[in-house]
Amino acid sequence: MTDSNKLALMANAFYSITTIKTAFAVTLLILACSPCAAQTAQDSNRLDDSQSPLQKQNIKPLGKYPLPSKKAVHPNGWYDAWPKELARIEKLLANEKTSQRIRTMEHWNRFLNYFKMVPDDSSQILAVFMEAYNNDPHYFCAEYAEWVPRLTGGNYAYCLDCYKNELPVMDEIVRLVLASYDQSLIKQLTEIQKLDQKLRSTISPKTVAEERSKILDQQRTLDMANLETIEKIIDQHGYPGRSLVGVNYEKVAFLVIQHSGAEAIGKYLPLMQDAIKKQDLEPSIYPYLFDRFEVSKGRPQHFGTQRKLETNELFPVYEPENVNARRRQYGLPPISITDK
């Protein structure tokens, strides 16, 4: 792959990230590439469709890839399972009823499988990379950063050689995305998360009711302080979701709000629902928060996420015959209302 094509691929990715300023992104990309790529950046501020790296490399659209040939580099007996896994993934992605949460995870799984199988044309991995990236760049980059380094050693050492041209491009995109997050805010959220669990983590099933009540009373003081801090963050930034702090810290504000009572939950439910619609927050948290709010108001829950502490029985569910259809929208697995 030429340096100009590498820049085109990285620039195409970065234009889909609104939290990264164009000038900052281009500067970093120029530093990462050769003088040839730098000249390419000067020639055009944005890439049109005709400059797409996928078009330049004549990469076939997803769904039309031939399965990679079985190669001796794959560990014995492992290859045969991967085409079956890909078939399962493609079926889910083709289903319009598949939730965004499941779709996002399966885009990553598809990339992971193709990566391990190694397409006959190794550059085709870039097309799979870009589709998963464009579906949800923050989730994908977090998974890539955690798992791909593990797939370039041991039984998967062959990947390092097979993708010697593609790995530097993909690695750089992921590195720059993760580096774009607000590190100061991440540090603040880390401390908030510690306080949120400081006393809760001492409660176990063996904790007697009187001691449990005492611990939770002490924890509420910390919860009030946390909520005050989170409200200031929201006033300044909006919901601190994955585009601002990454997927590893997107739930911190949710946890604080969840532990702050019905008033806070009711106040911030619309904000979090909006963040979910923008793919800036894990969708599955909304049903838990919504149900907790409804139960606190003495109303039936909608998603079947809340159970009675003493008996582990579900609180009453609104239109139980439709509960799994509602759960499916947020990527939650089905439940049986008759299972108490």
Side-chain angles (χ1 to χ4, degrees):
M1 182 189 300
T2 66
D3 286 329
S4 60
N5 276 354
K6 288 181 181 180
L7 178 67
L9 178 63
M10 288 190 279
N12 184 45
F14 271 96
Y15 288 133
S16 68
I17 297 260
T18 58
T19 57
I20 302 176
K21 294 183 178 179
T22 302
F24 171 71
V26 171
T27 299
L28 291 176
L29 292 172
I30 290 173
L31 291 174
C33 299
S34 71
C36 173
Q39 182 60 47
T40 302
Q42 293 172 1
D43 291 341
S44 175
N45 290 327
R46 289 186 71 90
L47 301 173
D48 59 35
D49 290 340
S50 65
Q51 294 172 302
S52 165
L54 306 188
Q55 288 193 14
K56 284 188 174 184
Q57 297 175 52
N58 194 29
I59 294 177
K60 297 178 181 179
L62 289 172
K64 297 182 180 179
Y65 285 135
L67 284 176
S69 302
K70 189 171 183 178
K71 299 181 177 69
V73 293
H74 298 101
N76 291 336
W78 290 12
Y79 180 92
D80 293 338
W82 294 333
K84 296 177 183 178
E85 176 67 1
L86 279 174
R88 181 195 66 80
I89 292 169
E90 295 294 349
K91 184 177 181 180
L92 279 171
L93 292 178
N95 188 345
E96 294 181 356
K97 294 183 179 180
T98 299
S99 70
Q100 180 57 39
R101 177 174 183 257
I102 300 300
R103 191 173 298 277
T104 294
M105 292 189 292
E106 296 302 348
H107 269 291
W108 160 253
N109 287 333
R110 176 165 61 180
F111 170 81
L112 187 62
N113 272 270
Y114 269 115
F115 188 90
K116 292 185 294 186
M117 294 173 77
V118 184
D120 292 338
D121 177 359
S122 64
S123 68
Q124 286 188 334
I125 196 64
L126 297 175
V128 189
F129 177 98
M130 287 307 301
E131 180 153 335
Y133 178 98
N134 288 330
N135 174 73
D136 189 327
H138 306 288
Y139 178 90
F140 177 76
C141 286
E143 292 295 300
Y144 182 102
E146 179 177 357
W147 289 102
V148 168
R150 307 182 192 185
L151 296 180
T152 52
N155 286 325
Y156 296 99
Y158 63 87
C159 292
L160 193 60
D161 181 61
C162 292
Y163 297 119
K164 59 186 176 183
N165 294 322
E166 292 77 25
L167 274 170
V169 179
M170 297 187 291
D171 289 351
E172 185 67 2
I173 291 174
V174 171
R175 185 189 70 81
L176 292 174
V177 170
L178 299 183
S180 74
Y181 299 143
D182 189 325
Q183 299 302 315
S184 176
L185 187 52
I186 287 175
K187 184 177 180 180
Q188 191 175 9
L189 291 174
T190 300
E191 294 304 312
I192 291 172
Q193 191 172 32
K194 290 179 182 177
L195 289 177
D196 182 77
Q197 295 298 313
K198 184 174 182 179
L199 299 178
R200 283 188 178 87
S201 61
T202 66
I203 298 175
S204 73
K206 296 181 179 180
T207 305
V208 297
E210 184 178 351
E211 181 65 17
R212 177 190 294 269
S213 179
K214 182 180 178 181
I215 292 173
L216 291 178
D217 283 343
Q218 294 173 337
Q219 180 66 56
R220 286 189 190 97
T221 301
L222 301 179
D223 292 345
M224 291 174 62
N226 271 347
L227 181 61
E228 184 177 345
T229 305
I230 287 296
E231 288 183 324
K232 290 178 181 178
I233 291 173
I234 290 175
D235 288 343
Q236 182 178 355
H237 300 283
Y239 186 88
R242 57 182 59 177
S243 62
L244 185 62
V245 295
V247 297
N248 293 329
Y249 299 94
E250 66 177 9
K251 296 182 183 179
V252 176
F254 152 73
L255 289 173
V256 171
I257 292 167
Q258 177 183 242
H259 293 148
S260 297
E263 183 178 349
I265 293 175
K267 179 180 179 180
Y268 291 110
L269 260 177
L271 179 70
M272 285 186 281
Q273 189 174 36
D274 185 58
I276 290 170
K277 289 179 180 178
K278 295 176 180 177
Q279 288 186 247
D280 209 27
L281 182 60
E282 164 61 47
S284 65
I285 72 168
Y286 181 80
Y288 289 91
L289 207 59
F290 182 89
D291 279 356
R292 176 171 287 206
F293 181 73
E294 293 298 289
V295 169
S296 73
K297 296 296 183 181
R299 298 192 288 258
Q301 58 179 323
H302 283 213
F303 299 95
T305 65
Q306 302 298 302
R307 292 178 177 272
K308 299 175 183 178
L309 184 62
E310 300 81 5
T311 63
N312 200 40
E313 291 181 346
L314 283 170
F315 282 99
V317 176
Y318 173 74
E319 293 184 353
E321 67 276 11
N322 296 320
V323 66
N324 286 325
R326 293 191 292 267
R327 289 173 65 90
R328 190 182 305 116
Q329 293 176 350
Y330 291 89
L332 294 179
I335 60 170
S336 174
I337 298 300
T338 58
D339 291 342
K340 302 295 185 180

